[in-house]
Amino acid sequence: MSTESAIRTTTDANCIFCKIVAGQIPCHRLFEDGDAIAFLDIAPLADGHALLVPKAHAGRLEDLPPDVVGAVTASLGRVAAAVMKAVGAPGYNVLQNNGAVAGQVVPHVHFHIIPRSANDGLGFRWNAQQRAPEQLAALRSKIGEI
Ligand code: AMP
Ligand code: ZN
């Protein structure tokens, strides 16, 4: 493990990804280090669709301390490159859902790595809206310091 942090040993006995981390249910493991495991998604959007999962249980990205987020996401590019090479995809999306309204089904943080090819039929509804400068300024003020 790259740093000491109590969250790194947090598990949830009822969590399917914690069970995969513990080896209690099988997966097609692609990669593993002290902080994360990557395996093939059981219901892929494309060949090579993989999940990179922190070993520690946390429901949402903001529940993980920054050092753990850093340690886990450090492996995204490496896993993606291996998957792309294997399936011959020229690109990929990284997708990370937080909350049911955002499409999160498994309440254990995970990063989807989704290989993309031309005309693969995948995509987002990217319905960009217009906002006046004063509307953006008011919202920025409401958010405050982060
Ligand atoms: P999300 O909607 O972001 O929570 O995505 C959860 C993902 O986990 C889905 O793409 C599922 O297909 C995948 N998944 C669920 N159970 C397993 C499993 N046992 N092994 C591999 N992938 C799984
Ligand atoms: Zn878990």
Side-chain angles (χ1 to χ4, degrees):
M1 294 183 186
S2 54
T3 59
E4 292 299 321
S5 178
I7 187 101
R8 282 189 155 82
T9 56
T10 302
T11 62
D12 180 334
N14 297 314
C15 171
I16 190 164
F17 287 174
C18 284
K19 290 179 181 174
I20 289 176
V21 168
Q24 294 166 353
I25 64 173
C27 71
H28 293 285
R29 188 174 66 226
L30 299 170
F31 169 84
E32 184 171 5
D33 66 10
D35 296 290
I37 184 170
F39 50 87
L40 292 177
D41 196 298
I42 203 168
L45 296 180
D47 282 340
H49 183 168
L51 301 174
L52 179 66
V53 176
K55 288 189 167 179
H57 179 85
R60 299 164 62 116
L61 190 59
E62 72 271 24
D63 298 331
L64 280 175
D67 62 331
V68 176
V69 175
V72 172
T73 57
S75 301
L76 274 172
R78 180 175 169 188
V79 175
V83 164
M84 280 196 301
K85 185 176 177 188
V87 302
Y92 62 100
N93 290 118
V94 172
L95 180 65
Q96 201 274 316
N97 300 326
N98 297 278
V101 73
Q104 185 179 16
V105 174
V106 177
H108 179 134
V109 173
H110 52 280
F111 296 83
H112 295 260
I113 298 167
I114 306 166
R116 297 298 306 273
S117 301
N119 305 314
D120 61 11
L122 300 176
F124 300 102
R125 284 193 307 278
W126 198 278
N127 298 335
Q129 303 175 38
Q130 297 295 314
R131 291 289 184 270
E134 53 271 24
Q135 289 177 300
L136 295 176
L139 182 56
R140 196 275 158 265
S141 178
K142 185 177 181 184
I143 292 169
E145 293 305 312
I146 297 175

